[in-house]
Amino acid sequence: MSDTDLAELGQQLRVDSVRAAAAAGSGHPTSSMSAADLMAVLLARHLHYDFDRPDNPANDHLILSKGHASPLLYSAYKAVGAITDDELLTFRKLGSRMEGHPTPRLPWVDVATGSLGQGLPIGVGVALSGSRLDKLPYRTWVLCGDSEMAEGSVWEAFEHAGVEGLDNLTAIIDVNRLGQRGPTRHGWDLDAYARRIRAFGWHTVEIDGHDIAAIDEAMTSAARTRGAPTAIIARTRKGRGASEVEDKEGKHGKPLTDPDAAIGELGGRRDLRIEVRRPDEAEPAPRGGGDPHTSLPRYATGGSVATRTAFGETLAALGSLHDDIVVLDGEVGDSTKAQLFAADHGERYFECYIAEQQMIAAAVGMGVRGWTAFACTFAAFLTRAHDFLRMAAISRSSINVVGTHAGVAIGEDGPSQMALEDLAMMRAIHGTTVLYPCDPNQTVQLVTAMTGRPGISYLRATRGEGPVIYGPGDAFPVGGSKVLRSHPDDQVTLIGAGVTVHQALAAADQLVADGTRARVIDLYSVKPVDTQTLRTAAEDTGRFVIVEDHHPEGGLADAVMESFGNGHPAPRHTRLAVHTMPGSATPAQQLDAAGISAPAIAAAARKLAAS
C-alpha cells in the first residue's frame, strides 16, 4: 500500500469508529480516531498475523492497552476481513462479540483490556515468552494511551522489559493530549515521556502520529533495534479529522452528536480491504512432557513440615515432570520456597522483583502463549495485584497463584505481613479455585491438581511447620474436604482450614475429655466448597464452630454458610476469626490473642453444644 492508500485506510478506520459508536449510542470514537494512522501502518506494513489461524505460534501479538478505543480495533478487524460491517455495527449490543472493551471472546484478542496500565505489563510476559521460552521471532506490539502513563504498573513494565532487553517488544504511545476529564499530565511534551522511558533502557522514537512515512520509519526502526525494546511516542490529535471533536475537551467517551457530518468531513465511507502479511511458518519446541521417572515428594506422618516447603519441593518436581511449567517470583523465592524450582529449572524461572502487578501480568502473558504459570509471593502482597487478577479472569486466563505467610500464624512480623483478606479477595474473583492445605502431603496433591485446572487457582500456604497428619497416598480432590473426627453421637462440628485444622483437632480432644463429641472437618477446598459434606454435618450435629486465620468477612465461614438455603436450613453456628488488629507476638500467642486457638475453639463448642 502506498502512503496515500494508508492515509485513506486511516480515514476509513476513523469513519468506521464513528459509525460503530453512533450505532451503539455510546463508546469512545475520539480515542480511536487519534490512533487510526498508527493502526493503519501497523496492519498494512509491519504486523505479521494469520487471521485465519489465530493460534498460529508464529503470529505477532497486538495488545490494545487503551481498551476503550475498541472501535478502532474492531474497525481494523473489518478492514482485514475478519468481521463484517454488519457485525461491526453490533458494537456494545446484547450478545455481540463487539464488547465495549475487547475480550478474548474474539479469537484475535489475547487478553481483556480496559483497566488502564495493564496492556504493556502483559505484553512484557508475551515478549518474554518469545525470547526466553518459545524462542520464536514473533513481535509483541502494544498500543497504549498517554493517560495510562500515570499508572505505576506501566513503569514496572518499562523497567522489566528494559532489564530483559526485550527487542521483540514495541510500545506505541498515542499521545493525544486529552484524558477523560481534561489534559493529561504532560500534554504533548513527547520528550517528557521519552526521557523517562529511555532511563529504563528503551530505544525511543518521537514522531508525528499522523505522518504515515514517519510512522512507517519508526516501526521499521523498532524491528531493527537489537538489545532493547522500542517505544514509539506519537503526537496525535484526539478526534482527528472531525471539527466537532478534534482536540476538544469534554468529548471523551461519547458518540459524535452529528456522525453524518463527521463522516462527510472524513471523506465518506470506504471499504478498503488489506492483506496482513502472514508470518513465516515456525513451530516452538515441543513441550508438555518431562522426565516420567521423577517422583513427587512424600512425607512421613508424625513429622512436621511447613506447607510452603511442601509447595516448593512439589513445584520443583513438577517442573521435571512437565516442561511447560514456568515460575514467577516477587523477590521472596527463598521464603515462599519457589526458589527450589530455580535450582533445577533456571531457564523457566523469572524474577520479577518487588513488582507484584508486573509479576501477575507477566504470568498472564505467558499463559497467552500456553505456558503453565505459577506466580508466587507473600499472600499479603497479592492485594497490590488484585486488579490484575480481576482482569485475568475477564481474559479467561489460566494461571496459578500461591500466597505464603498467611494469617496471624506468621507471628512476630506483625500485621503488615499478615494476609487476612486474601481468601475473600480470591473467592470474589469470577471462576477462581481457592485451596488452603494444612499438611504437606495434602499440599503435594493440591499443587499438582492446580496445573491442569482452567481459570485462576490460588493456594494459601503457611509459614510455620505443622504436623504431618495425612499419608502420601491420601486423595484430596478439588471441591472436597476431609472428615478427621466423626461419631454418631457428635454434638457439634468444628470446621477449619490450614493452621486452624490442627487447632480444631486439639480442641476436639479437649472436648472428648469433657464428654462432648465433636466432628472435625478439614475444608481445604474453600472454593469450590464441599457442600454435601457440610450439609450432612449440619443434619447430624446441628451446630458449627467455624474457625479461620482470616478476617471474618468473606473467608471460610462465608464459604461454609453459602452452602445452605434452598431447602437446606443453616445450622446454628459460631464464627471464630481475627476480629482485632494484631501486633507482634509468637505464633502461639497470636492464635490465642485472636481467639482461634484450641482452647477458644473448645470453649465456643461447649457453649454452643449446651445451648
Side-chain angles (χ1 to χ4, degrees), residues 298-306 438-441 465-470 502:
R298 298 167 65 88
Y299 302 94
T301 55
S304 186
V305 179
C438 71
D439 166 278
N441 287 313
E465 293 185 352
V468 183
I469 61 174
Y470 296 119
H502 305 295

Side-chain angles (χ1 to χ4, degrees), residues 165-405:
L166 296 178
D167 54 22
N168 58 349
L169 174 65
T170 301
I172 306 167
I173 305 172
D174 176 24
V175 185
N176 64 27
R177 189 186 76 84
L178 293 174
Q180 178 165 326
R181 60 97 199 102
T184 57
R185 178 175 288 158
H186 298 295
W188 277 323
D189 186 353
L190 302 191
D191 192 51
Y193 296 108
R195 288 193 311 271
R196 290 162 173 77
I197 297 169
R198 282 197 300 271
F200 289 109
W202 285 56
H203 168 58
T204 63
V205 186
E206 300 168 47
I207 61 169
D208 176 348
H210 303 305
D211 182 330
I212 299 298
I215 297 169
D216 183 41
E217 184 178 347
M219 292 181 179
T220 300
S221 171
R224 290 176 177 170
T225 297
R226 295 291 176 265
T230 296
I232 298 171
I233 307 165
R235 184 186 191 275
T236 64
R237 295 175 71 84
K238 198 165 186 175
R240 167 77 167 184
S243 57
E244 176 194 330
V245 294
E246 182 169 342
D247 193 35
K248 291 183 179 177
E249 296 184 30
K251 304 299 182 180
H252 181 90
K254 301 173 183 175
L256 276 64
T257 56
D258 193 345
D260 290 337
I263 291 168
E265 273 190 271
L266 292 164
R269 287 186 54 182
R270 299 156 176 82
D271 196 24
L272 298 172
R273 288 289 183 270
I274 57 173
E275 288 288 333
V276 174
R277 190 180 312 169
R278 288 186 168 96
D280 294 332
E281 289 297 322
E283 293 293 336
R287 63 178 189 251
D291 181 1
H293 303 295
T294 300
S295 297
L296 293 173
R298 298 167 65 88
Y299 302 94
T301 55
S304 186
V305 179
T307 56
R308 61 170 171 150
T309 301
F311 156 68
E313 292 175 348
T314 303
L315 195 60
L318 288 171
S320 296
L321 286 167
H322 305 285
D323 59 13
D324 63 339
I325 292 177
V326 297
V327 174
L328 300 95
D329 169 44
E331 206 197 314
V332 288
D334 55 338
S335 293
T336 64
K337 304 304 179 183
Q339 210 167 69
L340 296 174
F341 183 93
D344 296 332
H345 316 290
E347 75 285 356
R348 288 184 274 137
Y349 187 83
F350 295 84
E351 183 54 72
C352 299
Y353 298 94
I354 306 298
E356 291 84 8
Q357 296 176 105
Q358 180 57 51
M359 178 184 69
I360 296 298
V364 171
M366 291 175 182
V368 165
R369 295 294 310 137
W371 296 90
T372 300
F374 280 81
C376 317
T377 188
F378 289 7
F381 306 148
L382 287 169
T383 56
R384 299 180 80 123
H386 177 260
D387 190 36
F388 281 77
L389 292 163
R390 179 184 73 88
M391 288 299 296
I394 297 171
S395 292
R396 287 74 163 169
S397 296
S398 292
I399 60 171
N400 303 297
V401 182
V402 177
T404 68
H405 293 64

Side-chain angles (χ1 to χ4, degrees), residues 48-56 59-60 108 276-279 281:
H48 294 75
Y49 197 92
D50 186 345
F51 279 88
D52 293 327
R53 288 185 58 206
D55 58 348
N56 184 340
N59 281 339
D60 284 355
W108 317 286
V276 174
R277 190 180 312 169
R278 288 186 168 96
E281 289 297 322

